[in-house]
Amino acid sequence: MDPDTPKGTHATPTLAVWKFASCDGCQLTLLDCEDELLPLAGRVKVAHFLEMSRAEGGDEPATLEGAGPYDLSLVEGSVTTAADARRIQHVRRISRRLVTIGACATAGGVQALRDFADVEEFRAAVYARPEYIETLATSTPIAAHVPVDFELRGCPIDRGQLLEVITAYLAGRKPNIPNHSVCFECKRRGTTCITVAHGTPCLGPVTHAGCGALCPAYGRGCYGCFGPVSDPNMPAMVAQLKHDGMSERDVVRVFRTFNASSPEYGPVADLAERPARGATGPGTGTGPGRRGDHDEP
C-alpha cells in the first residue's frame, strides 16, 4: 500500500506487468493462474498489463510507459536496446516494489548468446535491412540497470512461486521461495538420481529449484531452466559432466542456454578445458558414463 495513503483508509494495492525483450511466456504464466487469481481479485488492482488489457486501470488507453505509480511491478524480459535501458529507469521510478520474473529478466535469457559473439554478424545474417535494426551489443538482466527487490527465476517461471511472490508483497513480507537445488526436489518426489543410476549428465546439483525436478522424473538430465543456485560448485559440476561423457564443447553449450550470462557460469569455458576425471587422454572428456541427452551424435 502507498505510504502516503491517509490513515483510516484502505486503498487497493496496484499491480503492473511489464514486457522487455522476451517471449511473453512468463506473462502468460500469470494469465494461466486463472482460478488461483480469484482470491486475489479483491485485494489487488491490475492497473497495467498490456498482455491482458489495452486499458490503464479503468478506461484510459494504456501506453508502454504506463501511468503509475504502482505498488508492485513485475518485469519480464532483458534489456537489449537503448530505448529499453531508458524505459526500465522510468518503470523503476514509478514502482514502489519491482520484481523481475523469468530467465530473461534475471539473467539475460537465450538472447544473451550475443554476449559471446559479434552482434553485427547476427544482425546482418538475420535481417534483410540490418541498418533499420537498433540493438545493443549485449542482453543484460534488469538488475544490471536498476535496483530490484526480488528475482523470480525460471524459463518459464512456476505459477505457484509467482503467486507466492504476489501474496507476500501484499502481506508485507519476504517471499518464501527456496534457494536449494533441483537435487532436493528429486529427493522429495522420490526420483532416483539419474546420474548415479545411469550416468546421465544432469545440471541438477547447481540449478535453482522451482520446476519440481520435472526432467529427471522422466529420465532426462536437468537443463538448468531456473538458473544457478547461490554459490554453485562449478568446478565439481563441470568435472562430473565430463566424467559422464560430455565433450568440452557440449559442457560449454549446456550452460549457454536460458541463463547464458549468469556470472556463476563465467568460469565454465576454462573449467571445461581441464582433463576429465578418469579421462583416457588430455581434454578428451571421455569418461565411463553413458551418453546423455545433452550430447550430439
Side-chain angles (χ1 to χ4, degrees):
M1 184 178 295
D2 194 310
D4 295 329
T5 300
K7 293 182 178 181
T9 64
H10 300 278
T12 302
T14 52
L15 172 70
V17 183
W18 307 88
K19 172 185 168 61
F20 284 76
S22 63
C23 72
D24 290 29
C26 293
Q27 293 182 80
L28 292 174
T29 298
L30 177 57
L31 294 176
D32 192 43
C33 290
E34 298 178 346
D35 292 344
E36 291 93 334
L37 284 174
L38 291 178
L40 295 176
R43 298 184 55 199
V44 63
K45 178 181 180 181
V46 181
H48 180 89
F49 191 0
L50 293 178
E51 187 87 6
M52 181 185 74
S53 174
R54 293 180 297 175
E56 178 76 27
D59 299 323
E60 293 295 323
T63 65
L64 284 176
E65 291 74 25
Y70 307 105
D71 291 297
L72 175 63
S73 278
L74 304 178
V75 180
E76 176 198 67
S78 63
V79 173
T80 59
T81 67
D84 281 348
R86 293 189 296 269
R87 187 161 67 98
I88 192 58
Q89 298 290 336
H90 170 73
V91 171
R92 176 70 268 190
R93 284 194 296 270
I94 62 175
S95 304
R96 184 178 176 216
R97 295 284 184 265
L98 189 150
V99 173
T100 51
I101 57 174
C104 295
T106 61
V110 174
Q111 57 270 31
L113 288 173
R114 69 173 69 187
D115 298 357
F116 307 96
D118 185 347
V119 71
E120 295 302 327
E121 290 184 8
F122 283 174
R123 181 160 54 180
V126 172
Y127 299 100
R129 300 296 299 271
E131 63 271 21
Y132 294 145
I133 305 300
E134 294 184 2
T135 188
L136 299 175
T138 58
S139 172
T140 47
I142 300 302
H145 300 268
V146 297
V148 170
D149 294 291
F150 191 81
E151 293 183 322
L152 185 61
R153 299 179 180 273
C155 186
I157 54 176
D158 175 76
R159 65 180 185 177
Q161 290 191 346
L162 175 60
L163 290 169
E164 162 60 19
V165 168
I166 295 174
T167 55
Y169 279 104
L170 288 176
R173 61 175 174 81
K174 181 180 179 180
N176 183 21
I177 303 297
N179 193 34
H180 54 246
S181 71
V182 171
C183 291
F184 280 78
E185 295 189 317
C186 278
K187 297 298 183 184
R188 292 179 65 180
R189 65 182 298 163
T191 300
T192 300
C193 179
I194 59 174
T195 298
V196 173
H198 308 294
T200 301
C202 179
L203 300 187
V206 297
T207 299
H208 197 286
C211 64
L214 182 62
C215 289
Y218 288 90
R220 297 172 61 98
C222 169
Y223 278 77
C225 304
F226 276 68
V229 293
S230 297
D231 195 25
N233 188 343
M234 296 308 298
M237 183 74 262
V238 171
Q240 182 64 47
L241 292 174
K242 296 184 70 176
H243 173 76
D244 291 332
M246 294 186 71
S247 66
E248 293 178 13
R249 176 173 177 266
D250 286 339
V251 168
V252 173
R253 288 185 65 190
V254 79
F255 284 104
R256 289 185 179 176
T257 54
F258 316 97
N259 299 273
S261 66
S262 294
E264 292 86 350
Y265 295 161
V268 168
D270 290 335
L271 293 171
E273 294 179 355
R274 299 179 183 178
R277 294 175 295 179
T280 57
T284 59
T286 54
R290 184 177 303 175
R291 180 178 292 277
D293 294 327
H294 303 297
D295 293 329
E296 294 183 340

